[in-house]
Amino acid sequence: MPKVPSVIFSLMIALYSLTTHSAVLSKPPIQLATQYQPDITVAEYLVSEKLDGVRGYWDGRQMLTRSGRKVALPASFTLGFPEVAIDGELWLGRNQFEHISALVRRLDTSAEDWQQVKFMMFDLPDHPGTFVERYLAMQKWAEQTDPTHLQVIKQDTVGTTEALFDRLDSVVNAGGEGLMLHFKQAHYAVGRSEYIVKLKPKYDAEAVVIGHTQGKGKYRGQLGALIVKTPAGIVFNIGSGFSDKQRENPPLIGSVITYQYLGLTQKGTPRFASFLRERPSQ
């Protein structure tokens, strides 16, 4: 059998890849969120639960992942979907991310596999209106479609920062991941946007150790807290998250540590910060 030239063989492989269901198409033009900052006026945003599913982009004909991979959905799933672009989340329910992620990656699924999955709409990329107007339009689309698979993520106005964090606590305690905030008067803008904000119970960040405080009670003679400084110049104490060994031999002044925190205070100080680990020296 004659040997196939390497160039032709490479072209054959590329052509085969393009014809498979797993081929990666162009990445969809989606909007990306930024992290919550304490200086926003909460009442100017609509607030919804941050769903722990897989980001989906319906382009009017097919469902794509954030990376541009086509999702092998059965025709029954998208029956009645509008021929407009929809940004949303393929969702099975709280704490089901591993299951929906595995399903989205499969190529040999059936209608039964997708029976419990919902495509939760949270935006209309091509709609020219504000987010409030887009939300109303999504509700109309949902009313005209079988709600088995196409639904709208509920949005609410929350009046104060205190009420926002009460809402966060309620969602997290019920098994949710966090909250999303959409600026009511914003238009859809592709890329990272300050007008869509995510608020999760814990973030990771780094800071430099600039001091130690002495422990009290059972920690007498050991570390009480680290005094740290963020890249933005915020100085605060971290007094939790340490093992007994770390309290006896705490990170040295000048070392870089990673901590977790729950949002920021009005002054920009991390809320409920706890030590996570010390970054290895380079």
Side-chain angles (χ1 to χ4, degrees):
M1 179 177 180
K3 185 176 181 180
V4 178
S6 59
V7 174
I8 296 178
F9 181 75
S10 297
L11 290 173
M12 291 170 62
I13 293 297
L15 181 61
Y16 173 77
S17 296
L18 289 173
T19 59
T20 63
H21 290 292
S22 60
V24 176
L25 308 175
S26 298
K27 291 183 178 180
I30 59 176
Q31 185 171 243
L32 302 172
T34 54
Q35 291 191 6
Y36 171 83
Q37 300 296 326
D39 58 347
I40 70 173
T41 303
V42 174
E44 294 179 348
Y45 291 75
L46 284 177
V47 180
S48 61
E49 180 175 343
K50 185 180 187 302
L51 304 182
D52 52 345
V54 173
R55 184 81 173 262
Y57 184 90
W58 172 252
D59 68 1
R61 299 178 297 106
Q62 60 189 349
M63 186 74 70
L64 304 175
T65 65
R66 178 173 169 174
S67 64
R69 188 173 298 279
K70 183 179 178 180
V71 182
L73 289 171
S76 59
F77 187 93
T78 58
L79 186 65
F81 276 30
E83 295 181 358
V84 298
I86 302 174
D87 198 353
E89 196 92 355
L90 290 164
W91 195 56
L92 258 174
R94 290 169 173 165
N95 302 311
Q96 295 293 320
F97 174 76
E98 295 300 328
H99 292 88
I100 185 61
S101 179
L103 181 59
V104 166
R105 294 194 302 270
R106 285 174 52 190
L107 302 178
D108 58 344
T109 62
S110 65
E112 185 177 357
D113 295 325
W114 290 90
Q115 189 172 0
Q116 302 301 319
V117 180
K118 295 176 176 59
F119 183 48
M120 305 296 293
M121 297 188 285
F122 55 69
D123 222 325
L124 297 174
D126 295 335
H127 192 289
T130 65
F131 183 71
V132 171
E133 292 169 335
R134 301 198 302 275
Y135 180 49
L136 293 175
M138 284 186 283
Q139 290 178 315
K140 288 184 178 179
W141 279 120
E143 290 171 359
Q144 298 170 8
T145 308
D146 184 347
T148 301
H149 297 300
L150 186 65
Q151 297 184 14
V152 184
I153 297 176
K154 189 175 185 297
Q155 305 281 347
D156 296 300
T157 296
V158 178
T160 65
T161 300
E162 182 180 3
L164 178 68
F165 278 93
D166 286 343
R167 173 79 174 273
L168 177 65
D169 291 341
S170 176
V171 167
V172 172
N173 289 337
E177 182 177 339
L179 300 176
M180 298 298 298
L181 290 77
H182 287 80
F183 187 64
K184 294 178 180 179
Q185 300 306 313
H187 295 272
Y188 195 96
V190 176
R192 194 72 60 183
S193 173
E194 62 181 327
Y195 295 121
I196 174 173
V197 177
K198 58 184 175 182
L199 175 58
K200 296 173 65 176
K202 287 188 177 180
Y203 298 105
D204 291 353
E206 291 186 340
V208 177
V209 177
I210 61 173
H212 304 111
T213 67
Q214 289 294 318
K216 299 178 181 178
K218 69 176 183 177
Y219 296 132
R220 187 177 183 84
Q222 300 179 351
L223 173 72
L226 293 178
I227 306 173
V228 301
K229 185 176 182 179
T230 71
I234 303 295
V235 176
F236 63 100
N237 291 1
I238 298 178
S240 63
F242 305 102
S243 65
D244 290 342
K245 184 177 181 180
Q246 289 167 335
R247 288 193 182 276
E248 293 174 359
N249 298 285
L252 300 176
I253 292 176
S255 61
V256 178
I257 61 100
T258 300
Y259 63 94
Q260 288 186 326
Y261 64 104
L262 174 59
L264 300 171
T265 66
Q266 292 289 346
K267 296 181 179 180
T269 303
R271 300 173 75 243
F272 307 115
S274 62
F275 176 81
L276 190 59
R277 57 183 172 271
E278 181 177 359
R279 191 177 76 182
S281 57
Q282 302 298 322

